[in-house]
Amino acid sequence: QVRLGRTLRDDLPLTAAAAAAGEIGVEHAHVLAALAPTSERRREALASPDVECDEAWLVRQAKLNTVDDLRTVVRHWAAAADTDADDRGYVQACERQHLQVSPTLGGYHVQGFLTVDVGQALVTALEAVTPVPAAGDTSTTDQRRAQAVGVLANLVLDKGLAGEGRASRPRLNVLVSYETLQAVTERAMARQDARTLPRLGSVLTAESVLHGPQFEDGTPIPRILLDRLACDGEFNRVIFGPQSEILDVGRAERTFTRARRNAIIARDRHCRFPGCTAPPTLSECHHVRHWARDHGSTSVSNGILLCWHHHGYVHARGIEIHRQGGRWVFTDAAGRELGDPCPDDEAG
């Protein structure tokens, strides 16, 4: 408030008078004070009688525009009034640019500052892949934007967009021992019967605690996320000896082969979740009958195309999918059908 008062007193007398008279709001005054008198040339332009867009013009804009719109107007004014200062500001912004992605309890904390061009590119890309909310989905815009960050990362990794000229294609690696995979399957089977729950002793063993499903950096993976990653992932068999020496490296096999994926794409054409039309490039194949829990086959008839957002949504909400005539039917945990029917296209 002291800084605002000094700026109004020294550089923006007309703005101060308009704010004192209640003709513009305090937030409007803050915008003008923060952006307008930030260089000598801009101060000259504010007070010059020979300039059309002087301080009086900016005050009129403040009376006519919202705070956000005024901020845009003043940014354009500042750029035109002193292009050199605008260039210096961009160079300084480049030096300040940073991004921190830090692991924390339950996830990652993101903090940073981006230049206008990087920010514009990121916002445009996020808007392009931000998932369409499902019927009854109460997630906020910020939550869907966070999911879109994962979609962008998946596009780069799964489509090999960053693999040119590299020795190996970058990918997200998950480490699961055979014993752990068996235990996960047994627990999933037990959960199908509400009366049969896994014994605590079978869950809290040294093997399950120290060698449970994890990313390469040791971060544990929730079972529901492991189920999703296993749906359309690529499996590599690596057998270790008692001293952790590698004894055998098996051939990578994709759960859904290229031919099967192409067949599913040709049939479904887009994400089949009710109301969603995300294209195949933003989607992956989901086992209708889960491969581990239900011993579902990896076949075209047991696969359905879901975008990354709704693939996770289906796993997280326990949504079941089945065919009814010529359409897919989605039901929630209570057995209620979700949204509008999803009839197959004529090609299906």
Side-chain angles (χ1 to χ4, degrees):
Q1 295 297 332
V2 171
R3 187 181 300 109
L4 172 63
R6 287 174 177 169
T7 304
L8 294 178
R9 178 196 64 190
D10 299 337
D11 302 311
L12 298 170
L14 298 181
T15 304
E23 297 173 355
I24 64 173
V26 175
E27 290 300 321
H28 290 81
H30 270 291
V31 171
L32 292 172
L35 298 173
T38 50
S39 73
E40 192 59 38
R41 286 182 60 84
R42 289 168 182 164
R43 293 188 185 92
E44 292 176 2
L46 288 170
S48 175
D50 302 324
V51 175
E52 177 184 351
C53 298
D54 55 5
E55 185 191 0
W57 182 85
L58 288 175
V59 171
R60 288 197 298 272
Q61 296 303 312
K63 295 177 181 179
L64 296 173
N65 290 282
T66 64
V67 173
D68 288 337
D69 290 340
L70 177 64
R71 187 176 290 110
T72 300
V73 170
V74 177
R75 282 173 177 165
H76 283 283
W77 179 91
D82 193 346
T83 56
D84 290 340
D86 203 47
D87 291 343
R88 289 194 300 272
Y90 176 75
V91 172
Q92 293 170 357
C94 290
E95 296 173 350
R96 293 168 50 206
Q97 185 170 234
H98 67 282
L99 181 65
Q100 296 175 338
V101 183
S102 308
T104 183
L105 293 177
Y108 280 77
H109 178 74
V110 180
Q111 183 180 10
F113 171 80
L114 304 176
T115 58
V116 291
D117 54 327
V118 176
Q120 287 284 331
L122 179 60
V123 169
T124 302
L126 290 176
E127 288 177 349
V129 299
T130 297
V132 177
D137 187 355
T138 58
S139 60
T140 65
T141 301
D142 288 345
Q143 289 172 325
R144 290 196 297 274
R145 189 179 297 116
Q147 293 164 351
V149 173
V151 173
L152 289 181
N154 284 330
L155 276 175
V156 173
L157 296 176
D158 289 355
K159 307 303 179 183
L161 301 180
E164 295 296 331
R166 299 196 177 194
S168 62
R169 173 179 160 186
R171 66 189 67 202
L172 185 66
N173 288 324
V174 175
L175 309 179
V176 187
S177 69
Y178 179 71
E179 292 78 11
T180 299
L181 196 60
Q182 283 186 313
V184 170
T185 304
E186 291 171 0
R187 289 200 298 272
M189 293 290 291
R191 285 189 178 90
Q192 289 184 296
D193 187 349
R195 297 167 299 176
T196 307
L197 295 176
R199 294 180 295 104
L200 186 61
S202 66
V203 176
L204 284 178
T205 64
E207 173 65 25
S208 64
V209 171
L210 299 177
H211 303 289
Q214 58 188 276
F215 291 107
E216 283 189 313
D217 65 354
T219 302
I221 303 174
R223 180 190 59 83
I224 195 169
L225 176 56
L226 180 62
D227 288 348
R228 174 188 171 180
L229 294 174
C231 243
D232 195 19
E234 185 176 273
F235 288 88
N236 289 273
R237 183 183 75 248
V238 182
I239 301 176
F240 292 91
Q243 303 302 321
S244 296
E245 69 274 19
I246 296 177
L247 301 180
D248 177 64
V249 178
R251 179 174 59 88
E253 295 183 357
R254 179 166 291 280
T255 307
F256 282 97
T257 63
R258 182 182 299 275
R260 293 190 183 109
R261 288 176 62 86
N262 289 341
I264 291 173
I265 290 172
R267 182 196 64 201
D268 292 345
R269 297 192 180 184
H270 58 77
C271 173
R272 303 310 298 182
F273 196 93
C276 184
T277 58
T281 53
L282 303 181
S283 304
E284 52 196 0
C285 294
H286 168 70
H287 285 77
V288 175
R289 294 182 68 248
H290 195 276
W291 70 276
R293 184 193 68 192
D294 305 324
H295 300 287
S297 63
T298 303
S299 61
V300 174
S301 61
N302 193 45
I304 185 174
L305 201 63
L306 295 176
C307 69
W308 283 309
H309 167 65
H310 286 124
H311 194 181
Y313 188 83
V314 163
H315 279 285
R317 301 299 177 91
I319 294 173
E320 298 292 336
I321 308 171
H322 65 276
R323 297 283 289 187
Q324 188 177 85
R327 67 187 182 95
W328 291 110
V329 176
F330 291 70
T331 55
D332 62 17
R336 295 184 294 265
E337 184 173 344
L338 302 180
D340 298 323
C342 290
D344 284 340
D345 298 311
E346 293 182 1

